[in-house]
């Protein structure tokens, strides 16, 4: 590699990161669901933690994405953090802004926080192995980025979009349609904003501090990058110890006085190479003998990691992170059932879903009916922010399987549309004494009207009235009945979850008999 | 209608009538006046052919749509199912009506519905969005409250106020184009029930007294024309249906300005006695229209 191209590495990094950042951001904002699932899958398969979760339960394009990132890291170091990770690019954007306000901004070498970082990494890994995604979801970069976009940016985006759409309608132009905005709730919004504030502060003040203290992907890739074939290094012969590289190092990992670089912290932004006036910072094959490199001074994160791994304490703590017991018998209580979360078709069971979902909210922003809604504590402490089916805001469209097609973590496994129609995620419960037909002695049947399988149908009641009746063998638990039920304050029909999803029978199909056809005379 | 709408409308109408008197052909006005049939029933053809034959018997579309008028067509687009399931109005019928209105000189033709399933999927998968757009209509959404405005229904017993879509409020000609279907709550859904898609809050209807509210709302605004799509008819599992097995081919179409008469005739097609359908009975009692089919002047056409 000639030195001429090395100087351009930073530019290349900026271009690649934006090429990935823009479509990944748009995945969460796309008001028309215009990005095909295949493209979405390809983009998110590069996100290392969701992809790792997914290959535990599913293969497909994810494997290629994950292995690509691993191979990339082993070849070139932590380039993931500077190009692929959308939170990394977001931090770089914040850092760019910070430079506008702090004209004399200079970074300085700081001792890496390996002990802290690997403690956190071990705790995150151990708890997710034990079945709790709580810590992982609090720290995983892609999912946090997704939550910020879904809960804080998207509503603002839609507000603007809808304002334009409404103004156009007033001008009799029906080119844009309003897009429904999810019911406002502070819970997904505030934690997302809080996280954004923390990351913004850290990056504004200290560059890539988040990536090197809290980020689980950063910790893992920091270890893997130790083995990388290409590394940044300082050439003893050409370096003049001017310190230019150290001043631009947002990972604080270059100590120019000792010519040392902490590879566990370096995010391969290549700012140092561009900044060096003497071509003293090189990016070279580790077997190359061309440059004079002092290897002894390179800081090793490995020992710290082994120390952290050996902590037996976590093994004792692990059972505390066990997912909430979701297997207790269904029907254990009227109100209890209503509070328990229902997981989307394809997620197999509450346990499967809750132990894999990184709460990136991609499904929440893509769901065309907006039935998928961020939870808070509904899954217990172990599954904070993971989405659930919210039948007060909407119901699951019978013909739609979009969430299963795009889930990055395998929490919702792909199911094709016909198979999805036979997955029973819950069962309808009819509370006859609350039903309009009983309380009012008037016809209603909003529930049965909306039911896609006619698991809720009507039968004669007290003369000419029609009252709902259930056939739960063919109920899929979509929530159309619950959503459309007009009774207040309690719905007379509601769906209780299947902790483990079941197979619904196919709806009964019987050919309707003709009563009138065009060959007969009109019956009037 | 509030006062402002009334003024706006009366000014608009005065201008329209005035300019018509000044510049238009008086013969057109006279020709438009007599409607000889209470109801036209057509069978045996495709929806487009049946509509053309039927409207011809009523004096042509020009009897209802005048040059420069704003027409709103309200099909049933309630469900996210394909056309062959017959849960939504036949797209060919919708596009034919749009074309005829535009041929008659309508300034613009709008199509909308307040759907039950997710609206953009309903519009797309019913085939109505693309059919309407290619026929030259504008498609508007009915699923946002901001487009609905308060109305009072003086003739209503239970439903005395509602919020109606502004397109209907501002229209010169309103054409109701329901699809005839079985309905698990109201036994059948046709012209009067289709008007539920004009209002915002339907839960009140369901919660209070569905049939009475349907009849009450029919007192508020009688569509200028009701065109009932009975080409493919959902006989069971309505109004959404489960499969194409629910659907039978009736190859029929009903047209009438009398919303009660057209529903009564439709009930007969479906095999129901109109007197057993409470909203038909209530609407007839409230003098919205007539259900005594044997006393009506009906034109029957076989294509």
């Amino acid at each position: 590699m000639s030195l001429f191209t090395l100087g351009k590495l930073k530019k290349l990094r900026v271009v690649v990161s934006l090429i990935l950042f823009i479509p990944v951001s748009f995945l969460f904002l796309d008001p028309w669901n215009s990005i095909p699932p295949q493209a979405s899958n390809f983009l998110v398969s590069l996100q290392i933690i969701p992809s790792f979760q997914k290959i535990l339960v599913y293969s497909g394009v994810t494997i290629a994405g994950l292995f690509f990132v691993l191979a990339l890291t082993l070849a070139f170091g932590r380039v993931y953090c500077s190009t692929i990770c959308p939170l990394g690019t977001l931090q770089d954007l914040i850092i760019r802004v910070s430079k506008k306000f702090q004209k004399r901004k200079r970074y300085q070498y700081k001792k890496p926080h390996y002990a802290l970082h690997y403690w956190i990494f071990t705790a995150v890994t151990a708890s997710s192995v034990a079945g709790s995604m709580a810590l992982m979801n609090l720290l995983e970069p892609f999912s946090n980025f997704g939550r910020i976009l879904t809960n804080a940016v998207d509503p603002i985006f839609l507000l603007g979009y809808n304002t334009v759409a409404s103004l156009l309608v007033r001008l009799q132009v029906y080119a844009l349609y309003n897009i429904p905005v999810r019911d406002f709730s502070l819970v997904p919004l505030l934690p997302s904003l809080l996280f954004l504030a923390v990351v913004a502060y850290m990056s504004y003040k200290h560059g890539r501090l988040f990536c090197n203290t809290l980020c689980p992907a950063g910790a893992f890739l920091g270890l893997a990058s130790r083995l990388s074939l290409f590394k940044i290094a300082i050439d003893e012969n050409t370096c003049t110890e001017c310190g230019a590289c150290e001043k631009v190092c947002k990972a604080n990992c270059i100590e120019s006085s000792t010519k040392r670089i902490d590879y566990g912290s370096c995010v391969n932004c290549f700012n140092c190479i561009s900044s060096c006036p003497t071509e003293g910072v090189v990016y070279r094959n580790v077997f190359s003998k061309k440059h004079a490199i002092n290897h002894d001074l390179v800081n090793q994160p490995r020992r710290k990691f082994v120390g952290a791994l050996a902590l037996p304490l976590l093994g004792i703590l692990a059972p505390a992170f066990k997912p909430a017991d979701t297997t207790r018998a269904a029907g254990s209580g009227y109100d209890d059932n209503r509070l328990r979360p229902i997981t989307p078709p394809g997620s197999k069971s509450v346990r499967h879903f809750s132990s894999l979902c990184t709460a990136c909210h991609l499904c929440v922003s893509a769901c065309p009916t907006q039935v998928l809604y961020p939870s808070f504590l509904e899954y217990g402490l172990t599954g904070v922010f993971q989405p659930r089916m919210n039948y007060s805001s909407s119901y699951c469209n019978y013909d739609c399987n979009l969430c299963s097609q795009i889930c990055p973590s395998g929490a919702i496994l792909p199911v094709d549309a016909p198979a999805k129609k036979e997955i029973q995620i819950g069962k309808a419960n009819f509370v006859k004494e609350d039903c309009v037909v009983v309380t009012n002695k008037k016809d209603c049947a909003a529930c049965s009207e909306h039911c896609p399988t006619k698991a809720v149908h009507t039968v004669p009641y007290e003369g000419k009235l029609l009252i709902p009746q259930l056939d739960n063998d063919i109920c899929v638990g979509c929530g159309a009945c619950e959503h459309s039920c007009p009774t207040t304050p309690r719905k007379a029909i509601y769906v209780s979850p299947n902790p483990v999803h079941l197979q619904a029978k196919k709806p009964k199909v019987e050919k309707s008999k003709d009563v009138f056809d065009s060959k007969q005379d009109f019956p009037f | 209608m509030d006062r402002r709408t009334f003024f706006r409308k009366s000014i608009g109408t005065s201008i329209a009538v005035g300019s018509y008197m000044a510049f238009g052909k008086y013969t057109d006005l006279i020709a438009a006046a007599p409607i000889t049939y209470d109801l036209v029933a057509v069978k045996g053809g495709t929806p487009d052919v049946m509509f053309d034959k039927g409207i011809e018997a009523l004096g042509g579309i020009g009897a209802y749509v005048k040059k420069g008028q704003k027409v709103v067509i309200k099909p049933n687009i309630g469900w996210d199912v394909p056309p062959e399931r017959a849960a939504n109005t036949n797209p060919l019928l919708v596009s034919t009506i749009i074309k005829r209105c535009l041929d008659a000189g309508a300034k613009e033709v709008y199509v909308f519905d307040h759907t039950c399933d997710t609206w953009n999927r309903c519009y797309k998968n019913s085939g109505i969005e693309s059919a309407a757009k290619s026929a030259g209509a504008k498609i508007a959404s009915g699923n946002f409250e901001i487009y609905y405005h308060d109305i009072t229904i003086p003739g209503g017993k239970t439903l005395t106020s509602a919020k109606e879509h502004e397109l209907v409020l501002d229209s010169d000609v309103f054409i109701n184009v329901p699809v005839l279907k079985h309905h698990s709550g109201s036994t059948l859904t046709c012209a009067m029930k289709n008007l539920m898609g004009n209002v915002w809050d339907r839960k009140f209807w369901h919660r209070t007294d569905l049939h009475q509210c349907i009849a009450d709302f029919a007192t508020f605004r009688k569509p200028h024309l009701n065109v009932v799509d009975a080409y493919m008819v959902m006989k069971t599992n309505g109004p959404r249906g489960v499969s194409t097995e629910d659907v039978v081919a009736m190859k029929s179409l009903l047209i009438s300005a009398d919303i009660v008469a057209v529903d009564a005739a439709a009930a007969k097609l479906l095999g129901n006695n109109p007197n057993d359908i409470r909203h038909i009975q209530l609407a007839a009692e409230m003098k919205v229209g007539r259900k005594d089919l044997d006393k009506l002047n009906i034109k029957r056409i076989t294509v």
Side-chain angles (χ1 to χ4, degrees):
Chain A
M1 208 183 278
S2 74
L3 287 169
F4 170 73
T5 45
L6 281 188
K8 298 226 161 155
L9 276 173
K10 179 192 166 186
K11 232 177 209 153
L12 178 71
R13 182 263 299 172
V14 171
V15 170
V16 173
S17 66
L18 288 176
I19 286 175
L20 289 169
F21 182 77
I22 293 163
V24 166
S25 304
F26 189 65
L27 282 183
F28 292 93
L29 303 179
D30 183 7
W32 312 280
N33 283 330
S34 55
I35 299 177
Q38 294 85 345
S40 169
N41 274 329
F42 170 74
L43 280 173
V44 299
S45 72
L46 299 171
Q47 302 303 327
I48 190 163
I49 291 177
S51 279
F52 180 76
Q53 296 283 101
K54 194 166 180 176
I55 64 157
L56 297 175
V57 288
Y58 187 76
S59 47
V61 66
T62 322
I63 290 194
L66 185 63
F67 280 93
F68 173 74
V69 173
L70 287 177
L72 195 69
T73 311
L74 290 176
F76 302 108
R78 263 171 88 177
V79 284
Y80 172 91
C81 305
S82 279
T83 52
I84 296 169
C85 176
L87 193 71
T89 306
L90 180 67
Q91 290 179 76
D92 285 350
L93 292 170
I94 293 166
I95 290 166
R96 220 186 146 78
V97 172
S98 77
K99 281 186 191 153
K100 291 260 185 292
F101 290 95
Q102 302 163 279
K103 287 279 183 234
R104 291 215 195 130
K105 178 144 189 154
R106 285 173 179 188
Y107 292 105
Q108 221 177 0
Y109 174 77
K110 289 198 183 94
K111 260 191 86 131
H113 309 279
Y114 288 139
L116 173 72
H117 200 186
Y118 289 103
W119 258 88
I120 291 172
F121 177 63
T122 312
V124 168
T125 325
S127 62
S128 55
V129 166
S132 166
M133 293 298 286
L135 278 178
M136 181 67 95
N137 293 357
L138 284 175
L139 299 173
E140 201 279 311
F142 170 72
S143 302
N144 271 297
F145 179 77
R147 289 203 294 273
I148 291 168
L149 282 192
T150 306
N151 302 307
V153 181
D154 197 34
I156 298 168
F157 175 76
L158 287 181
L159 198 72
Y161 183 93
N162 284 344
T163 309
V164 173
S166 308
L167 284 175
L168 287 176
V169 166
R170 290 285 164 269
L171 300 169
Q172 314 269 310
V173 178
Y174 289 80
L176 298 179
Y177 295 130
N178 282 47
I179 309 280
V181 182
R182 262 186 315 281
D183 298 345
F184 181 76
S185 163
L186 278 175
V187 169
L189 177 67
L190 280 185
S192 305
L193 287 178
L194 183 68
F195 180 85
L196 177 64
V198 168
V199 168
Y201 176 81
M202 286 172 107
S203 51
Y204 194 90
K205 286 278 185 191
H206 307 289
R208 292 294 202 102
L209 183 62
F210 172 83
C211 314
N212 284 321
T213 47
L214 298 174
C215 179
F220 173 74
L221 294 171
L223 285 170
S225 69
R226 285 280 309 130
L227 308 169
S228 73
L229 183 62
F230 280 88
K231 281 190 174 72
I232 293 171
I234 297 173
D235 188 332
E236 304 250 7
N237 296 334
T238 43
C239 173
T240 58
E241 290 178 37
C242 70
C245 53
E246 183 173 337
K247 285 175 203 157
V248 296
C249 178
K250 59 198 176 196
N252 308 111
C253 69
I254 303 178
E255 190 171 41
S256 55
S257 57
T258 57
K259 300 187 182 60
R260 112 191 191 169
I261 297 172
D262 294 329
Y263 293 123
S265 308
C266 172
V267 293
N268 288 55
C269 69
F270 304 122
N271 285 357
C272 48
I273 298 177
S274 303
S275 75
C276 181
T278 63
E279 293 172 358
V281 187
V282 294
Y283 187 52
R284 81 207 214 293
N285 174 344
V286 288
F287 300 110
S288 159
K289 300 267 185 278
K290 222 160 77 188
H291 307 283
I293 311 293
N294 186 349
H295 289 282
D296 297 343
L297 291 166
V298 176
N299 210 337
Q300 307 266 354
R302 199 169 37 194
R303 249 167 291 157
K304 301 274 170 71
F305 176 57
V306 173
L309 261 191
L311 290 164
L313 187 63
L314 283 159
I316 301 160
L317 283 177
F321 292 103
K322 211 177 74 200
D325 184 11
T326 45
T327 49
R328 63 205 149 119
S332 59
Y334 183 83
D335 288 317
D336 195 29
N337 271 336
R338 295 189 180 215
L339 293 173
R340 290 160 60 205
I342 301 173
T343 60
S347 61
K348 289 172 91 172
S349 66
V350 174
R351 194 177 285 263
H352 172 97
F353 180 77
S354 183
S355 64
L356 286 168
C357 174
T358 58
C360 71
H361 291 185
L362 186 60
C363 59
V364 173
S365 50
C367 178
T369 71
Q370 303 192 326
V371 66
L372 278 166
Y373 198 83
S375 71
F376 184 41
L377 295 172
E378 287 91 332
Y379 289 99
L381 273 172
T382 62
V384 275
F385 310 137
Q386 289 174 342
R388 66 184 173 94
M389 305 296 267
N390 182 349
Y391 295 149
S392 66
S393 63
S394 190
Y395 56 94
C396 182
N397 185 294
Y398 190 53
D399 291 278
C400 176
N401 60 346
L402 186 60
C403 57
S404 86
Q405 302 298 308
I406 57 166
C407 175
S409 72
I412 316 172
L413 290 169
V415 279
D416 58 23
K420 183 259 180 179
K421 291 180 183 177
E422 291 174 39
I423 296 173
Q424 187 188 65
I425 60 174
K427 288 184 201 76
N429 299 265
F430 181 46
V431 189
K432 198 171 175 178
E433 60 270 25
D434 287 347
C435 179
V436 166
V437 185
V438 173
T439 56
N440 242 2
K441 303 279 182 237
K442 298 282 192 273
D443 280 324
C444 169
C447 50
S448 131
E449 186 177 294
H450 285 72
C451 178
T453 66
K454 282 289 176 274
V456 190
H457 50 276
T458 52
V459 291
Y461 176 76
E462 295 190 356
K464 281 185 181 173
L465 290 173
L466 294 163
I467 196 163
Q469 191 178 54
L470 297 181
D471 178 0
N472 268 340
D473 286 348
I474 57 172
C475 176
V476 291
C478 70
C481 53
E482 177 174 333
H483 179 71
S484 56
C485 178
T487 61
T488 49
R490 283 198 312 195
K491 301 270 184 180
I493 193 161
Y494 69 96
V495 179
S496 56
N498 283 347
V500 176
H501 293 181
L502 302 172
Q503 177 94 8
K505 283 193 183 148
K506 283 187 179 170
K508 287 161 214 154
V509 169
E510 211 175 299
K511 183 68 200 166
S512 290
K513 287 183 198 83
D514 294 26
V515 281
F516 168 78
D517 75 54
S518 52
K519 289 178 194 72
Q520 297 167 277
D521 284 337
F522 282 113
F524 46 79
Chain B
M1 194 185 291
D2 62 27
R3 206 169 49 146
R4 200 180 309 164
T5 321
F6 174 76
F7 282 133
R8 201 169 54 206
K9 288 216 164 242
S10 24
I11 291 168
T13 320
S14 322
I15 293 171
V17 171
S19 42
Y20 210 86
M21 300 290 267
F23 311 111
K25 279 183 265 166
Y26 290 93
T27 44
D28 279 8
L29 279 177
I30 297 155
I35 296 167
T36 40
Y37 298 110
D38 297 316
L39 176 80
V40 175
V42 196
K43 64 184 173 75
T46 49
D48 50 343
V49 174
M50 289 195 292
F51 176 74
D52 286 341
K53 294 278 179 199
I55 200 72
E56 195 188 321
L58 286 169
I61 192 78
Y64 300 91
V65 177
K66 299 277 173 260
K67 213 173 185 130
Q69 283 186 319
K70 178 175 175 178
V71 181
V72 172
I73 293 174
K74 162 67 178 71
N76 187 335
I77 329 179
W79 306 101
D80 176 18
V81 292
E84 61 269 21
R85 291 268 298 272
N88 304 307
T89 306
N90 188 300
L92 179 59
L93 176 61
V94 176
S95 63
T96 306
I97 300 174
I98 294 165
K99 282 180 195 155
R100 297 300 168 261
C101 291
L102 290 170
D103 291 347
K107 186 171 61 148
E108 46 208 354
V109 179
Y110 290 91
V111 174
F112 88 100
D113 190 11
H114 182 186
T115 67
C116 297
D117 283 339
T118 315
W119 69 274
N120 42 4
R121 286 183 63 107
C122 294
Y123 276 33
K124 184 165 173 263
N125 296 333
S126 66
I128 291 177
E129 179 172 15
S130 58
K133 277 185 177 167
S134 55
K138 290 181 180 176
I139 281 268
S141 171
N143 286 48
F144 295 90
E145 196 171 358
I146 52 164
Y147 299 138
Y148 289 79
H149 305 286
D150 289 324
I151 54 163
T152 51
I153 305 163
K157 283 181 181 161
T158 302
L159 188 74
T160 51
S161 66
K163 284 180 117 179
E164 190 174 40
H165 199 282
E166 60 190 25
L167 277 180
V168 187
L169 288 170
D170 283 344
S171 65
D172 300 310
V173 181
F174 175 56
I175 303 177
N176 184 23
V177 193
V179 59
L180 173 62
K181 288 184 290 178
H182 163 251
H183 194 283
S184 57
S186 56
T187 311
L188 67 79
T189 164
C190 194
M192 277 191 274
K193 176 82 169 65
N194 192 43
L195 295 184
M196 262 183 111
N198 285 11
V199 299
W200 178 249
D201 181 12
R202 292 182 290 217
K203 282 194 174 169
F204 175 81
W205 298 35
H206 277 284
R207 183 162 60 227
T208 318
D209 184 349
L210 184 60
H211 287 290
Q212 184 65 57
C213 290
I214 294 171
D216 287 349
F217 190 67
T219 64
F220 176 67
R221 176 193 309 281
K222 289 178 197 166
H224 296 82
L225 212 50
N226 301 282
V227 183
V228 173
D229 168 23
Y231 184 65
M232 302 297 287
V233 174
M234 186 186 291
K235 183 67 181 56
T236 47
N237 291 329
R240 196 185 192 278
V242 172
S243 74
T244 49
E245 301 292 287
D246 297 320
V247 178
V248 293
M250 283 191 189
K251 290 193 180 171
S252 304
L253 184 94
L254 306 171
I255 313 180
S256 174
D258 185 332
I259 197 166
V260 183
V262 86
D263 272 2
K268 288 262 191 180
L269 284 182
L270 206 59
N272 292 109
N273 180 348
N275 295 322
D276 289 341
I277 316 294
R278 204 170 136 244
H279 63 264
I280 296 179
Q281 204 179 358
L282 290 169
E285 279 167 20
M286 293 164 82
K287 303 269 184 279
V288 178
R290 295 167 63 186
K291 68 175 168 61
D292 46 349
L293 294 171
D294 47 341
K295 295 199 185 78
L296 296 180
N297 186 8
I298 300 175
K299 170 76 174 171
R300 296 172 183 80
I301 302 170
T302 304
V303 177

